[in-house]
Structure formats: structure tokens, C-alpha cells
Amino acid sequence: MAIKKDILDQLLAGRDPKDVFAKDGLLDDLKKALAERALNAELDDHLEGEAAAGKPNRRNGFSKKTVLTETSKLDLRIPRDREGSFDPKLIARYQRRFPGFDTKIISMYARGMTVREIQGHLMELYGLDVSPDLISTVTDAVMETVAEWQNRPLETSYPLVFFDAMRVKIRDEGLVRNKAVYLALGVQADGTKDILGIWIETTEGAKFWLRVMNELKNRGVEDILITVVDGLKGFPEAINAVFPQALVQTCIVHLIRHSLEFVSWKDRKPLVPALREIYRAKDADAGLAALDAFEAGDWGKKYPAITGAWRRNWDRVIPFFAFPEAVRKIIYTTNAIEALNSSLRRAVKIRGHFPTDEAAMKLIFLVLRDVTKEWKMSAREWTEAKSQFAILFEERFKIA
């Protein structure tokens, strides 16, 4: 609703324009006035309900409360009732922070700012002296949301699930360790994407991955058609132990990236087309022939470790060749995972390292939540791929 010009003129009359937006300026005065007006309206409504129920309740003065807003502190007069049954919705009885304040802190935390940095930011911009304990309390509340999200029911079937990992520095028993954080990105039958879970590595190897797979199963997943993993030893076996029909595919992007780790910077760009001949071959036999040709060629002789990496993973590369082009493109094009990793790396880099697993989990969850808000539509390649999945997997491909 637009505010009339004459009302604005009255509000601004005699005020220095600089003071309008300043701390304790006109905007804060308006927020205070509107809050108190809303609180009084809430009490009026409450008393009307009490009277209709035959209860002789009435007003009983005011109490003072200081609440933190996004930009200032407000000293509010909170109306009271004689029976003490009034609990306002705008500012609940024990609430000390105005709606939106917690969201602002969480938003800064999600951008990688530490508790001390948030404290300094609020003081510098708004003159708010907020204790580190309060900021920690606000961000710690996120863990309740994380627990609910991590245990929510999942779909019974996923055509495609990408398992990806990134390394994060976390303090553990007095030492800063590199721990792996695993993400599971599921693609549903309609092509929409969903993060199925986040796991921070607590034990090494197959036992950890088996626990992850069992957790997905316990949350309702009965079948996964194709899983794409980054070639970690023991991971495919753990997947098939829980989802025996799942086809495990090595992530081609990870394999290419691993190959380029052996290559000098000046050689990387001209070498990539040679690798492309391998994974874009028409079938597994042609792909193997292209790998043999690469090994015998100049690049293979200069960087023999590349051929070794592809041959060690060849059994998990082969499934890729059995799919038509539409499905291959979906498996190979991991833009969603790459976008997630890019956002996560930025936030993690700002932090340096985390004091606990929980601190890392909070930040990663908040970053993912912001990124996934932008996921509205399925990938444009999914329309063709969906029909191919229906043919290849028949009744196992379930559309809700």
C-alpha cells in the first residue's frame, strides 16, 4: 500500500535528511511506533476473545522490553493484561530479537563470516553491540533444522545420484585435519534435483560409505538406477551391498580432472581433445581403442600416469558407453555439482578451518540451502534422457 505524499511530508518536516536513515532516526522511530501499534492491536483482539468467552480480563499497563532489530535496538512498551494470558505474536513473551534479526546473522554466517566478524560487522554498520554468545546461539539453532533435514523421508527411487566429496579443514583432538565432506545429489524422475544428505567423514573407507548407503535406505530409498562416484576405493562395493541393482559409474569429469593433475599448465589445453576422443567414443570397444591410441601417442608417452589412471578405473568407465547420447550428457554434465562446489569452496576458503564438525556442517548446510533455492527447472537435456531411462530400465524407472 502506497503512503500518501502529504503524510511523508509531515514525517520529514523539520528533519535533517541525513538523520532519516541514521541509527535512532526516523525509520527506527517508525518501526517502534508500528511495533507498539501492532502489539496494542494484538491485545485488543485478545481481550475481545476473552470477553466473548466470558472472562473478565482487561488491560494492565505496560512493561518495557529492549529488542534487537536488524539495524538498531528498540525500547518498546509491551501492553499487558490483568490475567497475564496475553502472549503477543509479533514479539513473543521471551523473545529479545525482532523478526529478521536472526535471518540477517544466519545470512552473514552462510557467507563464511566468523562469529567475531559478524559481531564487528554489526557494530561497524549499525552500532549494535551483540555478544559472540548470542550470535553462536542464533547459528546453533540451525543444527535443529539440519537434523530434521538430514532425517527427512526421501523418494523411493532415483534415476541418478551423484556422490561427490570435498576436503575441509576441521580441528579434531587438538589437531587440524583434512576431512572429507560428502554430498549426495539426486535427480528425480521429473528431472528436478535434490540434495539427499551431507556427511562428514568420521571413519575411513567402506564402513563409512556403507553407513551412508544404509541411511539412505532407511529414509525410504529402495532403488537407484545409476550412481556416479569419483572412483574412491570401496565406494562402489558399499553402494551395491545396499542397492544391488544400481549401476556404478565413475565420474568422467573427476577422471579428466585427475588426469590433468599430471600435466603441465602449457600442455593442458591441447591435451584435452585427446582425452575427449576416449570418453566420446561410440562404444566401449572404440573407447578402449582410443585409450590404446592415446597411450601409444606423444601425450601418452609424455604422461604415462594418465593412461594408468584410466585403465585402473576402466571397469567403472565402461557403463558410460552403453548409454545413448542423451543419458551420457546427463551423466557427464555435472553443472549442478560444480556450482555447489564452487559456492562451498568460496565459503570454506574464507573460514580457513572449523573448530568442530558441527560448525562445518552448519556452514555447508546454509550455503547449500541458498544455492538450491535457485533450482526451479530440470536440466534441458532431461526431456530426451527421461524417455531413454524409461526404455533402458523399464518398470524400475518410476514417474510419480
Side-chain angles (χ1 to χ4, degrees):
M1 183 177 67
I3 300 176
K4 292 183 179 180
K5 185 176 181 296
D6 57 339
I7 295 176
L8 287 174
D9 290 339
Q10 291 176 34
L11 291 170
L12 295 171
R15 289 181 180 267
D16 185 336
K18 294 180 181 179
D19 294 335
V20 172
F21 299 98
K23 183 177 180 293
D24 299 324
L26 174 61
L27 290 183
D28 285 340
D29 289 345
L30 284 174
K31 186 174 286 189
K32 173 181 168 65
L34 288 170
E36 291 180 346
R37 182 72 176 267
L39 290 166
N40 278 289
E42 279 196 63
L43 180 55
D44 288 340
D45 184 66
H46 175 74
L47 293 176
E48 288 177 9
E50 295 274 276
K55 298 178 181 178
N57 199 0
R58 58 191 175 88
R59 284 179 172 268
N60 186 34
F62 299 87
S63 61
K64 291 183 178 180
K65 177 186 280 190
T66 300
V67 295
L68 290 169
T69 75
E70 295 172 312
T71 58
S72 63
K73 290 181 179 179
L74 294 183
D75 293 318
L76 299 179
R77 298 172 76 236
I78 309 294
R80 300 181 303 198
D81 65 324
R82 176 71 65 177
E83 300 298 326
S85 58
F86 175 53
D87 189 8
K89 295 182 177 63
L90 179 64
I91 301 292
R93 187 167 295 178
Y94 300 107
Q95 185 177 341
R96 292 288 177 181
R97 301 185 295 279
F98 207 76
F101 181 81
D102 289 8
T103 303
K104 196 174 192 72
I105 285 180
I106 289 171
S107 176
M108 287 187 281
Y109 191 88
R111 285 170 170 78
M113 294 176 69
T114 65
V115 168
R116 295 290 179 182
E117 288 169 343
I118 294 171
Q119 182 190 29
H121 187 75
L122 291 172
M123 173 57 77
E124 183 180 347
L125 290 185
Y126 309 119
L128 289 177
D129 186 11
V130 180
S131 72
D133 288 344
L134 173 58
I135 297 170
S136 294
T137 298
V138 172
T139 57
D140 284 348
V142 172
M143 288 307 296
E144 296 178 11
T145 305
V146 173
E148 293 175 3
W149 175 81
Q150 190 79 344
N151 291 292
R152 75 196 189 281
L154 300 174
E155 299 294 322
T156 58
S157 176
Y158 288 89
L160 190 58
V161 177
F162 294 92
F163 291 100
D164 197 49
M166 65 177 295
R167 291 283 169 178
V168 175
K169 295 182 184 298
I170 301 175
R171 186 170 293 278
D172 186 11
E173 297 181 351
L175 299 174
V176 176
R177 291 180 52 204
N178 271 323
K179 288 191 175 183
V181 177
Y182 291 91
L183 304 178
L185 170 64
V187 180
Q188 301 178 69
D190 62 358
T192 55
K193 301 182 291 293
D194 186 22
I195 301 293
L196 308 187
I198 310 167
W199 298 270
I200 296 179
E201 181 184 39
T202 53
T203 58
E204 296 289 338
K207 287 184 178 179
F208 170 77
W209 297 316
L210 188 62
R211 179 175 67 79
V212 170
M213 295 303 112
N214 279 319
E215 183 180 317
L216 293 177
K217 186 172 185 178
N218 291 336
R219 290 166 60 195
V221 181
E222 297 174 1
D223 191 19
I224 301 174
L225 305 186
I226 303 173
T227 62
V228 181
V229 300
D230 59 1
L232 292 169
K233 187 177 180 181
F235 205 173
E237 290 77 11
I239 292 171
N240 287 139
V242 180
F243 302 105
Q245 289 185 285
L247 198 155
V248 182
Q249 168 70 50
T250 289
C251 178
I252 302 298
V253 171
H254 278 89
L255 195 51
I256 294 170
R257 190 174 295 138
H258 177 64
S259 299
L260 294 179
E261 290 175 357
F262 301 108
V263 181
S264 65
W265 281 101
K266 65 182 180 63
D267 286 342
R268 288 189 176 188
K269 189 172 181 179
L271 183 140
V272 168
L275 292 177
R276 194 177 296 134
E277 293 294 320
I278 301 171
Y279 66 84
R280 288 195 175 176
K282 65 176 182 177
D283 54 35
D285 290 339
L288 186 57
L291 180 60
D292 291 338
F294 178 90
E295 184 177 29
D298 293 338
W299 290 126
K301 291 176 181 177
K302 187 173 184 179
Y303 300 109
I306 294 178
T307 309
W310 281 77
R311 293 199 186 281
R312 284 193 301 274
N313 288 280
W314 194 249
D315 286 346
R316 298 296 180 184
V317 174
I318 289 175
F320 183 80
F321 294 109
F323 298 118
E325 184 63 27
V327 178
R328 285 197 201 187
K329 193 176 293 184
I330 288 289
I331 295 173
Y332 173 76
T333 308
T334 54
N335 291 337
I337 281 284
E338 294 302 306
L340 287 176
N341 282 339
S342 177
S343 299
L344 287 172
R345 286 193 185 98
R346 280 197 301 270
V348 168
K349 185 177 180 180
I350 293 171
R351 274 303 179 86
H353 75 273
F354 296 89
T356 62
D357 288 1
E358 289 74 19
M361 181 69 81
K362 278 192 298 185
L363 177 65
I364 291 166
F365 170 77
L366 290 170
V367 172
L368 292 177
R369 188 173 67 176
D370 287 347
V371 172
T372 56
K373 284 178 183 176
E374 307 299 320
W375 291 353
K376 303 296 182 184
M377 300 174 62
S378 60
R380 63 179 180 271
E381 299 92 354
W382 188 254
T383 301
E384 184 180 354
K386 184 165 60 174
S387 61
Q388 297 287 349
F389 270 96
I391 294 169
L392 291 168
F393 295 97
E394 299 179 338
E395 70 276 0
R396 286 179 64 201
F397 182 70
K398 300 174 182 178
I399 299 179

Short mmCIF file of all heavy atoms in Angstrom, two decimals, residues 137-161:
data_model
loop_
_atom_site.label_atom_id
_atom_site.label_comp_id
_atom_site.label_asym_id
_atom_site.label_seq_id
_atom_site.Cartn_x
_atom_site.Cartn_y
_atom_site.Cartn_z
N THR A 137 24.39 -18.65 19.60
CA THR A 137 23.08 -19.22 19.90
C THR A 137 22.18 -19.21 18.67
O THR A 137 21.48 -20.19 18.38
CB THR A 137 22.40 -18.42 21.04
OG1 THR A 137 23.20 -18.52 22.22
CG2 THR A 137 21.01 -18.97 21.33
N VAL A 138 22.22 -18.09 17.94
CA VAL A 138 21.39 -17.99 16.72
C VAL A 138 21.83 -19.02 15.69
O VAL A 138 21.00 -19.72 15.09
CB VAL A 138 21.49 -16.56 16.14
CG1 VAL A 138 20.81 -16.50 14.76
CG2 VAL A 138 20.85 -15.56 17.08
N THR A 139 23.14 -19.14 15.46
CA THR A 139 23.61 -20.07 14.43
C THR A 139 23.48 -21.52 14.89
O THR A 139 23.25 -22.41 14.08
CB THR A 139 25.06 -19.77 14.03
OG1 THR A 139 25.90 -19.83 15.19
CG2 THR A 139 25.18 -18.38 13.42
N ASP A 140 23.63 -21.76 16.20
CA ASP A 140 23.48 -23.14 16.71
C ASP A 140 22.07 -23.66 16.49
O ASP A 140 21.88 -24.88 16.34
CB ASP A 140 23.82 -23.20 18.21
CG ASP A 140 25.32 -23.12 18.46
OD1 ASP A 140 26.09 -23.27 17.48
OD2 ASP A 140 25.72 -22.90 19.61
N ALA A 141 21.10 -22.76 16.48
CA ALA A 141 19.72 -23.18 16.26
C ALA A 141 19.54 -23.82 14.89
O ALA A 141 18.60 -24.59 14.67
CB ALA A 141 18.77 -21.99 16.43
N VAL A 142 20.47 -23.50 13.97
CA VAL A 142 20.41 -24.08 12.63
C VAL A 142 20.56 -25.60 12.70
O VAL A 142 20.01 -26.33 11.87
CB VAL A 142 21.50 -23.46 11.73
CG1 VAL A 142 21.59 -24.17 10.39
CG2 VAL A 142 21.23 -21.98 11.53
N MET A 143 21.32 -26.09 13.69
CA MET A 143 21.57 -27.53 13.77
C MET A 143 20.30 -28.33 13.95
O MET A 143 20.21 -29.48 13.52
CB MET A 143 22.55 -27.83 14.91
CG MET A 143 23.99 -27.41 14.62
SD MET A 143 24.68 -28.05 13.07
CE MET A 143 24.69 -29.81 13.38
N GLU A 144 19.28 -27.74 14.60
CA GLU A 144 18.00 -28.43 14.71
C GLU A 144 17.38 -28.62 13.33
O GLU A 144 16.83 -29.68 13.02
CB GLU A 144 17.06 -27.63 15.62
CG GLU A 144 17.54 -27.51 17.06
CD GLU A 144 16.60 -26.67 17.91
OE1 GLU A 144 15.47 -26.38 17.43
OE2 GLU A 144 16.98 -26.30 19.04
N THR A 145 17.48 -27.57 12.51
CA THR A 145 16.97 -27.66 11.14
C THR A 145 17.76 -28.67 10.33
O THR A 145 17.20 -29.43 9.54
CB THR A 145 17.04 -26.28 10.46
OG1 THR A 145 16.36 -25.32 11.26
CG2 THR A 145 16.42 -26.31 9.07
N VAL A 146 19.09 -28.68 10.53
CA VAL A 146 19.95 -29.64 9.82
C VAL A 146 19.54 -31.07 10.17
O VAL A 146 19.41 -31.93 9.29
CB VAL A 146 21.44 -29.42 10.17
CG1 VAL A 146 22.30 -30.53 9.57
CG2 VAL A 146 21.91 -28.06 9.66
N ALA A 147 19.31 -31.33 11.46
CA ALA A 147 18.94 -32.68 11.90
C ALA A 147 17.62 -33.12 11.27
O ALA A 147 17.48 -34.26 10.82
CB ALA A 147 18.85 -32.73 13.42
N GLU A 148 16.65 -32.21 11.24
CA GLU A 148 15.36 -32.54 10.62
C GLU A 148 15.53 -32.81 9.13
O GLU A 148 14.97 -33.76 8.58
CB GLU A 148 14.37 -31.39 10.83
CG GLU A 148 13.96 -31.19 12.28
CD GLU A 148 13.08 -29.97 12.46
OE1 GLU A 148 12.75 -29.32 11.43
OE2 GLU A 148 12.73 -29.65 13.61
N TRP A 149 16.32 -31.95 8.48
CA TRP A 149 16.53 -32.09 7.03
C TRP A 149 17.28 -33.38 6.71
O TRP A 149 16.94 -34.09 5.77
CB TRP A 149 17.32 -30.87 6.54
CG TRP A 149 17.73 -30.92 5.10
CD1 TRP A 149 16.97 -30.61 4.02
CD2 TRP A 149 19.02 -31.30 4.60
NE1 TRP A 149 17.71 -30.77 2.87
CE2 TRP A 149 18.95 -31.19 3.19
CE3 TRP A 149 20.20 -31.72 5.21
CZ2 TRP A 149 20.05 -31.48 2.38
CZ3 TRP A 149 21.29 -32.01 4.40
CH2 TRP A 149 21.20 -31.90 3.01
N GLN A 150 18.29 -33.70 7.52
CA GLN A 150 19.12 -34.88 7.27
C GLN A 150 18.35 -36.18 7.50
O GLN A 150 18.75 -37.23 6.99
CB GLN A 150 20.35 -34.84 8.18
CG GLN A 150 21.43 -35.85 7.88
CD GLN A 150 22.32 -35.47 6.69
OE1 GLN A 150 22.00 -34.60 5.91
NE2 GLN A 150 23.45 -36.13 6.56
N ASN A 151 17.25 -36.11 8.23
CA ASN A 151 16.46 -37.31 8.52
C ASN A 151 15.11 -37.33 7.81
O ASN A 151 14.28 -38.20 8.09
CB ASN A 151 16.24 -37.43 10.03
CG ASN A 151 17.52 -37.77 10.78
OD1 ASN A 151 18.07 -38.85 10.64
ND2 ASN A 151 18.01 -36.82 11.56
N ARG A 152 14.88 -36.40 6.90
CA ARG A 152 13.58 -36.34 6.23
C ARG A 152 13.40 -37.54 5.30
O ARG A 152 14.39 -38.08 4.79
CB ARG A 152 13.46 -35.04 5.45
CG ARG A 152 14.28 -35.02 4.15
CD ARG A 152 14.46 -33.62 3.61
NE ARG A 152 15.05 -33.64 2.28
CZ ARG A 152 16.32 -33.81 2.02
NH1 ARG A 152 17.17 -34.03 3.01
NH2 ARG A 152 16.77 -33.79 0.76
N PRO A 153 12.17 -37.98 5.05
CA PRO A 153 11.94 -39.09 4.11
C PRO A 153 12.34 -38.70 2.69
O PRO A 153 12.20 -37.54 2.29
CB PRO A 153 10.42 -39.31 4.21
CG PRO A 153 10.01 -38.68 5.50
CD PRO A 153 10.93 -37.52 5.71
N LEU A 154 12.83 -39.66 1.94
CA LEU A 154 13.24 -39.45 0.56
C LEU A 154 12.32 -40.21 -0.39
O LEU A 154 11.45 -40.97 0.03
CB LEU A 154 14.69 -39.89 0.36
CG LEU A 154 15.73 -39.18 1.23
CD1 LEU A 154 17.11 -39.82 1.04
CD2 LEU A 154 15.79 -37.69 0.91
N GLU A 155 12.51 -39.98 -1.69
CA GLU A 155 11.76 -40.71 -2.70
C GLU A 155 12.17 -42.19 -2.67
O GLU A 155 13.28 -42.53 -2.26
CB GLU A 155 12.03 -40.14 -4.09
CG GLU A 155 11.63 -38.68 -4.26
CD GLU A 155 10.13 -38.47 -4.17
OE1 GLU A 155 9.37 -39.34 -4.67
OE2 GLU A 155 9.71 -37.45 -3.60
N THR A 156 11.28 -43.05 -3.15
CA THR A 156 11.60 -44.48 -3.15
C THR A 156 12.61 -44.84 -4.23
O THR A 156 13.35 -45.81 -4.10
CB THR A 156 10.33 -45.33 -3.35
OG1 THR A 156 9.70 -44.94 -4.59
CG2 THR A 156 9.35 -45.12 -2.20
N SER A 157 12.65 -44.04 -5.31
CA SER A 157 13.55 -44.37 -6.42
C SER A 157 14.15 -43.09 -7.01
O SER A 157 13.46 -42.07 -7.12
CB SER A 157 12.79 -45.13 -7.51
OG SER A 157 13.61 -45.38 -8.63
N TYR A 158 15.42 -43.17 -7.37
CA TYR A 158 16.11 -42.06 -8.04
C TYR A 158 16.79 -42.60 -9.30
O TYR A 158 17.58 -43.55 -9.22
CB TYR A 158 17.16 -41.43 -7.13
CG TYR A 158 16.57 -40.62 -6.00
CD1 TYR A 158 16.26 -41.23 -4.78
CD2 TYR A 158 16.28 -39.27 -6.15
CE1 TYR A 158 15.70 -40.50 -3.74
CE2 TYR A 158 15.72 -38.53 -5.12
CZ TYR A 158 15.44 -39.15 -3.92
OH TYR A 158 14.87 -38.43 -2.89
N PRO A 159 16.51 -42.02 -10.46
CA PRO A 159 17.20 -42.45 -11.68
C PRO A 159 18.71 -42.23 -11.61
O PRO A 159 19.48 -43.01 -12.14
CB PRO A 159 16.57 -41.57 -12.77
CG PRO A 159 15.27 -41.11 -12.20
CD PRO A 159 15.49 -41.00 -10.73
N LEU A 160 19.11 -41.15 -10.93
CA LEU A 160 20.51 -40.77 -10.96
C LEU A 160 20.89 -40.11 -9.64
O LEU A 160 20.17 -39.25 -9.13
CB LEU A 160 20.73 -39.77 -12.11
CG LEU A 160 22.13 -39.37 -12.53
CD1 LEU A 160 22.96 -40.58 -12.92
CD2 LEU A 160 22.06 -38.39 -13.69
N VAL A 161 22.00 -40.56 -9.04
CA VAL A 161 22.51 -39.93 -7.82
C VAL A 161 24.01 -39.71 -7.99
O VAL A 161 24.75 -40.65 -8.30
CB VAL A 161 22.25 -40.78 -6.56
CG1 VAL A 161 22.89 -40.11 -5.34
CG2 VAL A 161 20.77 -40.98 -6.32
#
